[in-house]
């Protein structure tokens, strides 16, 4: 596993000034809004992976999930939009959030992607590898978790 530090370092966050999602949430930038309440807004991604690709974000600026103080309202909005997608677009979808540049985060305002999936699309969304004991020990060591393999007794 390569040593690639996240960028920027924890604590060194970008400001909300100029944040396009803050502008959308404040009504100062256009978006195709599919859901909005007092705390969250959801809108179509301008570069969709699939038709109906929706972004769900808090109205208050937080760069990452770990910067958020309260997830209750965003989780409720995420569920409401997922229900809408299931009812109107597809019962199959991916939900994910990119955290940091190396993970593919492009807009540094926390948001969830809901990506409907349709028949006939390729299904190789992520490339995978086999987890070896060595890889597991290395990751667990970095996390400060005792290396233990096995079931519960």
């Amino acid at each position: 596993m390569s040593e690639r530090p996240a960028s920027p370092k924890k604590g060194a966050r970008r400001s909300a000034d100029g944040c396009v999602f803050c502008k959308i949430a404040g009504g100062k930038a256009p978006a195709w809004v599919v859901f909005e309440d007092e705390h969250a807004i959801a809108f179509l991604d301008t570069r969709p992976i699939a038709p109906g690709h929706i972004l769900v974000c808090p109205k208050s600026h937080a760069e990452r999930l770990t910067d958020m103080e309260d997830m209750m309202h965003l989780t409720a909005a995420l569920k409401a939009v997922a229900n809408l997608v299931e009812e109107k677009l597809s019962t199959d979808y991916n939900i994910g959030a990119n955290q940091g540049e190396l993970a593919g985060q492009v807009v540094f305002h926390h948001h969830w992607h809901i990506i409907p999936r349709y028949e006939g699309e390729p299904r190789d969304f992520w490339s995978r590898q086999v987890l070896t004991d060595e890889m597991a020990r290395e990751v667990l060591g970095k996390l400060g978790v005792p290396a233990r393999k096995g079931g519960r007794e």
Side-chain angles (χ1 to χ4, degrees), residues 2-152:
S2 64
E3 295 291 322
R4 295 187 300 182
S7 164
K9 296 277 187 200
K10 189 159 177 81
R13 299 288 187 243
R14 294 165 181 86
S15 103
D17 295 339
C19 173
V20 68
F21 287 1
C22 286
K23 289 178 182 175
I24 290 170
K28 294 180 167 80
W32 296 100
V33 176
V34 299
F35 173 90
E36 184 172 12
D37 68 14
E38 182 181 345
H39 304 282
I41 188 165
F43 47 90
L44 296 178
D45 193 314
T46 59
R47 298 188 51 150
I49 290 172
H53 181 165
I54 298 169
L55 305 178
V56 182
C57 67
K59 286 188 172 181
S60 61
H61 187 80
E63 184 174 316
R64 306 168 67 93
L65 173 79
T66 53
D67 293 336
M68 294 193 61
E69 303 219 359
D70 176 17
M71 286 292 298
M72 182 177 68
H73 299 294
L74 184 59
T75 302
L78 184 64
K79 182 178 180 185
V81 176
N83 279 327
L84 184 63
V85 167
E86 281 190 19
E87 291 170 14
K88 305 292 186 178
L89 297 178
S90 178
T91 56
D92 299 305
Y93 51 90
N94 297 102
I95 294 180
N98 303 333
Q99 302 294 286
E101 192 174 330
L102 296 177
Q105 188 174 7
V106 176
V107 177
F108 292 89
H109 181 121
H110 179 63
H111 58 284
W112 291 97
H113 294 258
I114 301 180
I115 306 165
R117 294 302 183 174
Y118 304 99
E119 198 63 45
E121 288 184 316
R123 295 182 187 214
D124 56 343
F125 306 131
W126 295 278
S127 61
R128 294 178 178 234
Q129 54 187 308
V130 175
L131 176 67
T132 65
D133 289 350
E134 180 182 346
M135 289 167 58
R137 284 187 189 96
E138 181 180 351
V139 170
L140 292 173
K142 287 182 178 184
L143 292 172
V145 176
R148 177 182 168 277
K149 183 178 183 181
R152 295 177 186 236

